[in-house]
Amino acid sequence: QQFMANLAQQQQPQYKKRSGPALEKSTLLGLCMRVGIPTKNNSAFAPNTILRQSLSSVESSTSQQRQQLKLYQEACHQLLHNLIKAGATARSQVLEWFTDALLVNVGASATRPDPSKVSSTNLLLNMSAALLKLCEPFVMDPKKHKLIDAHFCSAPAVHKGIYATT
């Protein structure tokens, strides 16, 4: 109850600098979403040891890391699902966070994204997985296809400028 009250009181994002790293390190959802499999210095796939490992060992390491990531992403989905179901205020705050996360990470698709401006790949991957999982009930049920607003991407007032319309 206290958590939901604190979430409801936040009218504006509390982080000072609008950037991917600030969103990641200074917001509750950012802190939750940034956890993942290490991409650098991952001992399971270090160049000097991967060549010495058997194929089954590499496949086992890959499978274990995928399983860990899947469990973590499911936990993130449960957190988001519970927040969204908690009420209109909490749902609005969560959707506002996703909107802001997309807006501050526009440079993430660059060939060499600037790590001082965009969030980590872990956060972006977890955020994408969470959004896809939240869409699942609408996508999997043909009866709910009619509830999807096909004009969402062409209405800047609704999507707040996330999708370029020019």
Side-chain angles (χ1 to χ4, degrees):
Q1 294 292 357
Q2 181 64 29
F3 174 75
M4 296 312 299
N6 290 340
L7 188 64
Q9 287 176 355
Q10 292 182 340
Q11 295 299 322
Q12 294 291 328
Q14 296 300 311
Y15 54 97
K16 293 183 174 111
K17 296 180 181 176
R18 286 186 41 85
S19 69
L23 177 105
E24 183 174 336
K25 295 172 185 163
S26 303
T27 65
L28 179 66
L29 288 177
L31 291 168
C32 292
M33 294 275 194
R34 74 180 185 170
V35 177
I37 305 300
T39 55
K40 295 180 181 177
N41 301 325
N42 189 338
S43 60
F45 301 109
N48 58 351
T49 61
I50 197 165
L51 296 175
R52 295 183 187 144
Q53 295 179 17
S54 67
L55 180 59
S56 63
S57 175
V58 172
E59 287 174 347
S60 174
S61 293
T62 303
S63 177
Q64 287 174 351
Q65 290 190 359
R66 284 182 180 159
Q67 187 67 22
Q68 288 175 338
L69 188 58
K70 185 177 179 180
L71 289 172
Y72 181 72
Q73 287 174 344
E74 183 59 35
C76 283
H77 169 70
Q78 286 299 324
L79 171 67
L80 289 169
H81 190 262
N82 290 338
L83 287 172
I84 289 170
K85 293 282 187 177
T89 305
R91 179 176 42 251
S92 174
Q93 291 293 318
V94 168
L95 295 176
E96 186 71 31
W97 184 89
F98 275 112
T99 301
D100 205 33
L102 291 170
L103 287 171
V104 299
N105 284 297
V106 292
S109 62
T111 305
R112 294 184 187 158
D114 184 355
S116 68
K117 294 181 181 175
V118 299
S119 297
S120 69
T121 54
N122 285 336
L123 181 132
L124 296 172
L125 175 67
N126 290 332
M127 187 174 73
S128 298
L131 288 171
L132 286 171
K133 187 77 171 166
L134 289 172
C135 292
E136 206 170 69
F138 295 96
V139 175
M140 300 302 279
D141 187 358
K143 296 175 196 169
K144 292 186 178 181
H145 288 181
K146 295 175 186 171
L147 298 174
I148 298 171
D149 182 4
H151 302 291
F152 175 79
C153 291
S154 63
V158 177
H159 64 66
K160 299 184 181 179
I162 293 173
Y163 304 104
T165 57
T166 57

